């Protein structure tokens, strides 16, 4: 069975909003119960920060009228020229012609466009967050025990490592719930998935959650100010968002590279704070599951390579001995 078919369970929730709501309520209750000891970035905090940032910047807007997913290379080429006339259309890996999970080229292009828009938004939030964490400390307590947030003498990566494990799980958990809500179309049976003809970049409303649980602002246009905006303006802002997202992806990895590899980013020399941890292992500092799996996988790969090398050496030696015997007999 293909990976895509194994995940059709999640998309079937489109036709059962009650099931989705029950899942969200149960997950929220579990997180609130198990992580109640930590007070770092609850869901309301995340949404409040998101809504404030989106009303002050068009770069992180989640358009409810994102452009319809292109279905041909010519349309992708036109969009590429609009995004960057200097470079234009550039697809060295021929991804525009790919077919992921045997779902067809249209679904593949929708997946890739959604991935770029989503990662661009995450990168923009990460870039702004990095700048804030490097210069500002929240004045309120970080935990119910009254512990303060890590100071600016630590790099953002070190500040993350200094957070209590429960706080980190809480943040990752909330992000996971937001991702689930997006993939399930917010429980709207009329919502169309981005791999099935839907609009890449569109984040669903929290209307079902508001109706059945409690009030919460939408991530995109929480105050309804963009409803009268022309489609032309919305399309232009989407292009701006994609370009800003691409720049932010380069920016945040520039920060991470400067902290991890001294001198790798000349412009940040003398500013970056060296970091000897693992930026790709978010729970590495406390020796939890992720670091254990990473270490185990690395050791296993090393053992396999070592064993393969020994077998190859033995085979070469045996071949050489046979060749010598044959040569001497001749």
């Amino acid at each position: 069975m293909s990976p895509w078919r194994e995940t059709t369970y999640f998309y079937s929730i489109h036709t059962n909003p009650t099931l989705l709501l029950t899942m969200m309520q149960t997950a929220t209750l579990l997180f609130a119960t198990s992580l109640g000891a930590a007070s770092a970035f609850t869901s309301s905090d995340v949404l409040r920060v998101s809504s404030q940032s989106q009303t002050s910047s068009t770069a992180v807007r989640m358009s409810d009228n994102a452009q319809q997913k292109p279905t041909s290379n010519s349309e992708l080429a036109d969009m590429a020229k609009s995004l960057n006339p200097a470079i234009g259309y550039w697809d060295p890996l021929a991804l525009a012609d790919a077919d992921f999970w045997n779902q067809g080229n249209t679904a593949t292009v929708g997946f890739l466009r959604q991935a770029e828009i989503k990662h661009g938004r995450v990168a923009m939030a990460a870039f702004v967050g990095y700048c804030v964490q490097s210069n500002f400390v929240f004045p309120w307590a970080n935990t119910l025990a009254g512990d303060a947030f890590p100071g600016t003498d630590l790099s953002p990566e070190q500040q993350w490592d200094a957070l209590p494990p429960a706080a980190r799980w809480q943040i990752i958990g909330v992000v996971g719930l937001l991702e689930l809500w997006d993939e399930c179309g917010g429980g709207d049976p009329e919502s169309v998935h981005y791999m099935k003809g839907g609009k890449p970049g569109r984040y669903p409303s929290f209307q079902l959650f508001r109706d059945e649980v409690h009030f919460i602002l939408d991530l995109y246009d929480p105050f309804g100010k963009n409803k009268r905006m022309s489609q032309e303006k919305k399309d232009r802002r989407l292009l701006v968002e994609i370009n800003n997202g691409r720049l932010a992806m380069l920016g945040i990895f520039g920060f991470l590279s400067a902290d991890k590899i001294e001198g790798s980013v000349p412009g940040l020399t003398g500013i970056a704070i060296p970091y000897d941890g693992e930026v790709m292992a978010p729970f590495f500092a406390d020796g939890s599951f992720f670091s254990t799996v990473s270490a185990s996988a690395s050791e296993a790969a090393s053992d396999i390579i070592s064993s393969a090398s020994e077998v190859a050496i033995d085979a070469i030696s045996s071949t050489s001995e046979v060749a010598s015997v044959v040569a001497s007999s001749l």
Side-chain angles (χ1 to χ4, degrees), residues 12 19 33 37-38 54 62 73 82 165 178 200 217 226 254 263 286:
S12 67
L19 176 58
T33 303
Q54 288 164 8
M62 301 181 182
N73 285 357
S82 299
L178 292 174
L217 292 173
N226 296 339
D286 57 9

Side-chain angles (χ1 to χ4, degrees), residues 74-199:
S74 61
E75 290 173 320
L76 288 174
D78 291 340
M79 174 175 283
K81 292 178 181 178
S82 299
L83 287 167
N84 192 326
I87 297 178
Y89 183 69
W90 190 62
D91 183 20
L93 299 180
L95 292 177
D97 300 317
D99 181 5
F100 291 178
W101 307 294
N102 297 321
Q103 294 299 305
N105 177 252
T106 297
T108 300
V109 172
F111 172 84
L112 293 172
R113 288 205 58 214
Q114 171 78 3
E116 179 182 33
I117 294 172
K118 182 183 297 183
H119 284 83
R121 290 168 178 167
V122 171
M124 286 186 280
F127 186 90
V128 173
Y130 190 102
C131 295
V132 171
Q133 286 181 249
S134 298
N135 298 278
F136 179 78
V137 179
F138 295 114
W140 53 84
N142 180 33
T143 67
L144 295 178
D147 298 327
F149 279 89
T152 54
D153 56 317
L154 301 178
S155 69
E157 300 95 332
Q158 292 168 335
Q159 292 179 38
W160 170 264
D161 290 341
L163 284 176
R168 280 178 274 171
W169 276 111
Q170 188 176 10
I171 296 170
I172 296 297
V174 169
V175 172
L177 291 175
L178 292 174
E179 179 74 3
L180 175 63
W181 189 265
D182 183 16
E183 288 297 315
C184 296
D188 182 3
E190 297 182 359
S191 177
V192 181
H193 194 265
Y194 51 83
M195 290 184 69
K196 298 181 179 179
K199 298 178 180 179

Side-chain angles (χ1 to χ4, degrees), residues 239-263:
L239 297 179
V240 171
E241 179 187 38
I242 293 174
N243 274 333
N244 288 345
R246 290 174 176 177
L247 182 61
M249 284 188 273
L250 294 174
I252 187 60
F253 269 91
F255 282 150
L256 295 176
S257 299
D259 291 342
K260 185 65 178 176
I261 306 173
E262 186 176 357

Side-chain angles (χ1 to χ4, degrees), residues 31-48:
F31 273 103
T33 303
S34 61
L35 304 176
S39 63
F41 300 113
T42 61
S43 57
S44 59
D45 293 328
V46 172
L47 292 172
R48 182 166 59 253

